[in-house]
Amino acid sequence: MKPYLFFDLDETMFLTLEHMVNYINGRHGINSTIYDHIGNNDSLDEVIRKHDRNFNLSWGETYADVGINFHTSIEHHEDVLPMKDMPKVVKELSKKYRLVIVTARQKVGLDVINYLTHKHIPGCITYTHCVWEHIGNGKFNKIMSKREFVKNISGEKAGFIDDSVHEIMKMKDILPCFLYDPTDHHKSVLHIPNRVTSWEQIRNTFLQ
């Protein structure tokens, strides 16, 4: 059997953040930027509240809205582009590995994830795991964390690639982990030795 290779979805395989920010701005009448949503520890509701002091939705209600109205919308994802060279490299990787997406997106948005993968990398993804499931009233069920899911997979595991330092740190003791950092945003993070800055580098790492 081919070994497994695990990937995050957003900002690792696809450039989705700009589209989410556009949705948030339109939904709440604010002018946040991409940089408001990266590089700090603010949750989404906290970012919105910095631009609108009258914003009164909870964390759960805010993420439920994104899951229901953005992550399930093909219209909001029609112009989402893959990372540079990602489709070409994924097609090559799929010949050697079983490719699995592990994403913090809610399960309700699985059809949109399938839309993106079928559009750009048809037939290449073995399975997609979503961490969260909205159960109503801004409350969530954690189906299984990325770490738990990967740890429970039987078979050889070649690596895990994610743009989140937090996710890499949680996963690094169970398989080789690589921080995807194409803009050197995390260059000051020195405790993660394995990092890749492009999909060509991913190709060279796993297709030696």
Side-chain angles (χ1 to χ4, degrees):
M1 295 289 286
K2 294 188 290 186
Y4 288 97
L5 192 53
F6 302 90
F7 295 97
D8 176 47
L9 181 81
D10 296 295
E11 300 305 302
T12 299
M13 300 183 79
F14 292 96
L15 289 156
T16 55
L17 180 58
E18 179 181 359
H19 298 272
M20 189 196 76
V21 171
N22 289 340
Y23 168 77
I24 291 295
N25 288 346
R27 175 75 164 160
H28 300 288
I30 63 174
N31 292 302
S32 67
T33 70
I34 287 175
Y35 300 102
D36 290 318
H37 296 263
I38 60 175
N40 58 52
N41 294 318
D42 291 338
S43 61
L44 185 54
D45 59 307
E46 291 171 334
V47 170
I48 297 170
R49 201 165 287 115
K50 285 182 177 180
H51 292 266
D52 179 3
R53 292 182 180 179
N54 295 318
F55 182 75
N56 60 7
L57 294 183
S58 67
W59 171 88
E61 291 168 326
T62 307
Y63 276 96
D65 172 73
V66 170
I68 294 167
N69 296 308
F70 175 72
H71 286 158
T72 62
S73 169
I74 295 228
E75 180 181 358
H76 283 304
H77 289 77
E78 284 179 336
D79 296 325
V80 166
L81 295 175
M83 290 289 178
K84 184 177 183 294
D85 296 321
M86 186 276 283
K88 175 184 68 174
V89 174
V90 161
K91 288 170 187 174
E92 293 182 54
L93 290 170
S94 68
K95 298 175 183 176
K96 183 177 179 180
Y97 299 97
R98 287 177 282 182
L99 307 182
V100 176
I101 294 172
V102 283
T103 174
R105 286 196 176 206
Q106 300 165 40
K107 187 178 179 180
V108 69
L110 187 57
D111 285 348
V112 168
I113 297 172
N114 291 337
Y115 162 78
L116 289 173
T117 58
H118 292 165
K119 180 178 180 180
H120 296 283
I121 45 174
C124 293
I125 301 301
T126 299
Y127 185 76
T128 297
H129 172 69
C130 298
V131 170
W132 296 101
E133 182 175 33
H134 182 225
I135 56 177
N137 298 319
K139 299 184 184 301
F140 294 86
N141 172 47
K142 181 179 277 190
I143 300 169
M144 190 179 292
S145 70
K146 291 185 181 184
R147 176 186 169 83
E148 290 173 303
F149 174 78
V150 171
K151 190 173 182 179
N152 287 337
I153 291 287
S154 298
E156 183 183 353
K157 303 163 192 176
F160 169 71
I161 301 164
D162 199 309
D163 67 306
S164 166
V165 171
H166 178 67
E167 295 291 356
I168 294 294
M169 294 303 295
K170 288 195 296 185
M171 199 83 77
K172 67 177 185 175
D173 65 319
I174 60 175
L175 81 170
C177 291
F178 297 80
L179 178 66
Y180 181 68
D181 192 17
T183 62
D184 285 332
H185 179 74
H186 298 298
K187 65 181 178 181
S188 63
V189 178
L190 304 179
H191 55 279
I192 297 180
N194 298 327
R195 62 183 68 213
V196 287
T197 59
S198 70
W199 274 85
E200 275 300 318
Q201 191 174 355
I202 293 173
R203 180 192 181 280
N204 294 337
T205 299
F206 291 99
L207 293 176
Q208 294 286 345

